[in-house]
Amino acid sequence: MEKAFTKLDYSGQNIYIGLDTHLKNWKATIRVGDTFYKSFSQDPEAVILSKYLHKHFPGGNYYSAYEASFSGFKAHRELTKLGIYNIVVNPADIPTTDKERKQKEDARDSRKIAEQLAASNLVGIHIPDIEIEGDRSLLRFRKTLTKEIARNKVA
């Protein structure tokens, strides 16, 4: 008896990915439409996430979001290049309860981002050009150095 295999096809369906990004790993939560699918941890590589999405949700429309943080906008640029529509959001714009603020947890944060993204409640912040981001980084570094120099002169 032959087994019939059905090919996965998510054409026209929206796949929402909430990311909690860190230096050593990303927590990701995936929602298919309004339905929770899965939360998992992965290495901080956009390519890994893209391969996972294309393997498990071929043909889908991929939407992701993560909170603005120390890491800048490198992940945003990589996700966008790979065909994932991504926004970076202000952490204060994600509604949280007092309990969630006190009991911070990466999986919970990624789940909240995915839920709010699926509900169209998130608005992305402005993403500066790479040159402007580099200039900002240089200015921050200069400010840090001048503080250190002043602190050491006093001591």
Side-chain angles (χ1 to χ4, degrees):
M1 180 170 189
E2 245 180 81
K3 288 187 179 180
F5 291 99
T6 57
K7 186 175 180 182
L8 292 175
D9 185 20
Y10 284 86
S11 297
Q13 291 191 38
N14 294 335
I15 313 300
Y16 300 101
I17 307 102
L19 296 170
D20 192 44
T21 59
H22 294 284
L23 191 61
K24 294 187 180 187
N25 71 355
W26 289 354
K27 277 285 190 197
T29 297
I30 297 179
R31 293 180 68 86
V32 179
D34 293 334
T35 308
F36 170 81
Y37 175 73
K38 182 179 185 179
S39 286
F40 59 94
S41 185
Q42 71 160 59
D43 289 336
E45 300 281 334
V47 174
I48 294 171
L49 180 62
S50 177
K51 285 180 182 178
Y52 180 87
L53 293 172
H54 284 90
K55 179 180 178 183
H56 292 89
F57 307 100
N61 303 318
Y62 310 120
Y63 297 92
S64 68
Y66 69 91
E67 295 177 344
S69 66
F70 71 93
S71 59
F73 304 103
K74 181 182 174 199
H76 169 76
R77 291 185 183 100
E78 290 175 357
L79 290 165
T80 303
K81 273 186 200 173
L82 294 168
I84 300 169
Y85 178 77
N86 184 72
I87 60 172
V88 181
V89 296
N90 181 348
D93 290 344
I94 299 170
T96 56
T97 63
D98 189 45
K99 180 180 179 181
E100 290 169 338
R101 270 186 229 107
K102 291 178 182 175
Q103 297 176 350
K104 194 115 170 75
E105 191 177 273
D106 297 342
R108 183 182 296 141
D109 291 347
S110 71
R111 189 176 67 245
K112 290 286 285 188
I113 293 169
E115 287 172 3
Q116 295 300 315
L117 184 62
S120 300
N121 292 337
L122 297 179
V123 177
I125 61 172
H126 171 72
I127 309 299
D129 293 335
I130 293 175
E131 296 82 20
I132 292 174
E133 188 178 0
D135 292 345
R136 287 179 176 178
S137 178
L138 184 63
L139 289 172
R140 284 189 196 106
F141 183 65
R142 182 184 185 282
K143 186 176 180 180
T144 301
L145 282 178
T146 55
K147 280 183 180 179
E148 286 295 312
I149 290 169
R151 186 178 62 85
N152 288 326
K153 283 183 179 179
V154 173

